[in-house]
Amino acid sequence: MSVDHSVVTERPNRDPLFLHVKAGMTVIVADTDGAWRMADVIWVDGGARNPKVPTLFKVADVDTGVINWINADLVTHIVPRC
């Protein structure tokens, strides 16, 4: 009797959230210390290997108006439009 010893890796059931972020969206950003803030996405910057994959977002904080760059993986939620 033969036994299948192949390794099967499961595909994640969902894409990472940051792949769906576009300029003009409002997102929730989690900082490294656990705090979060709401920000509007101004610019989406692609990676060096594949420019279509976002790696950095230029965002404006909704409360303070401060503009800065964040890593794409810090986005935890996309705020829906009303």
Side-chain angles (χ1 to χ4, degrees):
M1 170 184 279
S2 66
V3 178
D4 184 13
H5 293 287
S6 63
V7 176
V8 178
T9 57
E10 290 187 30
R11 236 179 95 192
N13 54 359
R14 293 189 292 175
D15 292 335
L17 184 65
F18 64 84
L19 293 177
H20 303 284
V21 175
K22 307 286 183 221
M25 291 182 164
T26 302
V27 295
I28 302 295
V29 179
D31 294 331
T32 55
D33 58 353
W36 63 272
R37 60 193 169 106
M38 191 179 325
D40 293 326
V41 179
I42 300 171
W43 184 263
V44 178
D45 195 29
R49 292 185 189 137
N50 187 353
K52 293 183 180 180
V53 176
T55 56
L56 292 172
F57 298 133
K58 189 174 194 179
V59 297
D61 191 305
V62 172
D63 291 330
T64 63
V66 174
I67 297 174
N68 60 351
W69 288 93
I70 62 164
N71 287 328
D73 60 347
L74 294 179
V75 173
T76 60
H77 297 80
I78 297 174
V79 178
R81 292 187 183 261
C82 294

